[in-house]
Amino acid sequence: MNRPAALRLPILLLCVFFAPSLCLAASGPLSAVTAAQKAVDAADVNAFNAAVDVDALLQNGLEQGLAEVCRRAAAGTLPSMEPMLAMAVAGIASDCRPDNPQLVVLRGLAQSEARSFVTAGVGGGWFAGKPNGRTSENSMHSRLLRGMSTARKKLVPGAVLSQTGDTAEVSAELRDAEAGVFPLRLKVERSNTAWRVTEVLNVHELVQKALDRR
């Protein structure tokens, strides 16, 4: 009856001396990252949505990303893009204000298609590197997002950079088997006992690097 309690001290000692980062990841802010990866590996869309606020990430990411794309298009320094996206960007290059109706429509379309892409990638097992037949690879590629990697993706937790109450900033890496490695700074927030990724804080850096690589 007392056996579980008797095991607590050895487990605690293992955490302290041998794997403190893993133990922190199990229950602290980094648990959002490990939970997201576990959901990807299990092709569990509901669990992924519980660990990651996908809509908030996409909204913020696309606002910053399309703003940078528009700025470069207006300056004539934008690299070649997929035809559909290039046509859409050409239509907004003359007015990069956030409330430009064309830009608002493009953001909304991109968010909807990116949401579908993430849901299909997780639920279809593509992001786990184990397609399960629930979604075909072709169905994931809208004309706007053609060229996005459907390869295996792995979220690797890093460190807790700062924490104030139920809000923290953590580091992580997104390792894409096709596109490469992307360092991430993430905002995570706790509700009750569960942590959730709510924002990618270095979106602008990631967009700049992605455009510079093209």
Side-chain angles (χ1 to χ4, degrees):
M1 294 290 292
N2 295 327
R3 192 172 180 182
L7 288 173
R8 289 176 191 161
L9 181 59
I11 291 172
L12 178 61
L13 291 174
L14 284 171
C15 283
V16 171
F17 292 109
F18 296 104
S21 63
L22 292 179
C23 295
L24 285 172
S27 59
L30 288 171
S31 64
V33 180
T34 55
Q37 184 58 48
K38 184 177 180 180
V40 168
D41 290 337
D44 188 333
V45 175
N46 290 332
F48 186 78
N49 287 334
V52 179
D53 189 340
V54 177
D55 289 325
L57 261 65
L58 289 176
Q59 181 177 350
N60 179 62
L62 286 168
E63 283 180 359
Q64 294 192 51
L66 286 176
E68 176 65 14
V69 167
C70 190
R71 186 189 68 78
R72 292 196 181 202
T77 59
L78 193 66
S80 61
M81 310 183 80
E82 296 295 332
M84 183 67 177
L85 186 56
M87 287 177 59
V89 170
I92 62 172
S94 62
D95 182 1
C96 293
R97 292 176 302 171
D99 60 350
N100 173 2
Q102 286 182 291
L103 185 53
V104 171
V105 169
L106 179 58
R107 275 201 306 266
L109 179 60
Q111 181 166 353
S112 175
E113 295 194 352
R115 187 71 167 85
S116 297
F117 178 81
V118 171
T119 299
V122 174
W126 293 97
F127 293 172
K130 300 175 182 177
N132 53 34
R134 295 178 198 164
T135 57
S136 69
E137 188 173 20
N138 288 338
S139 70
M140 294 173 65
H141 287 295
S142 67
R143 289 186 297 170
L144 193 60
L145 300 180
R146 189 170 295 153
M148 294 286 288
S149 168
T150 60
R152 160 78 166 152
K153 292 167 180 39
K154 186 174 183 181
L155 280 166
V156 180
V160 178
L161 304 176
S162 64
Q163 182 178 347
T164 303
D166 292 333
T167 301
E169 180 181 337
V170 304
S171 63
E173 278 188 348
L174 173 60
R175 299 176 183 174
D176 187 297
E178 181 180 298
V181 178
F182 301 88
L184 304 175
R185 287 191 296 109
L186 305 172
K187 178 181 178 181
V188 296
E189 297 181 87
R190 178 170 53 192
S191 177
N192 296 322
T193 59
W195 290 88
R196 192 184 195 202
V197 179
T198 57
E199 186 177 350
V200 178
L201 297 171
N202 62 326
V203 166
H204 192 253
E205 298 170 29
L206 295 173
V207 171
Q208 286 183 318
K209 289 179 181 178
L211 291 173
D212 289 342
R213 286 179 183 176
R214 294 182 71 90

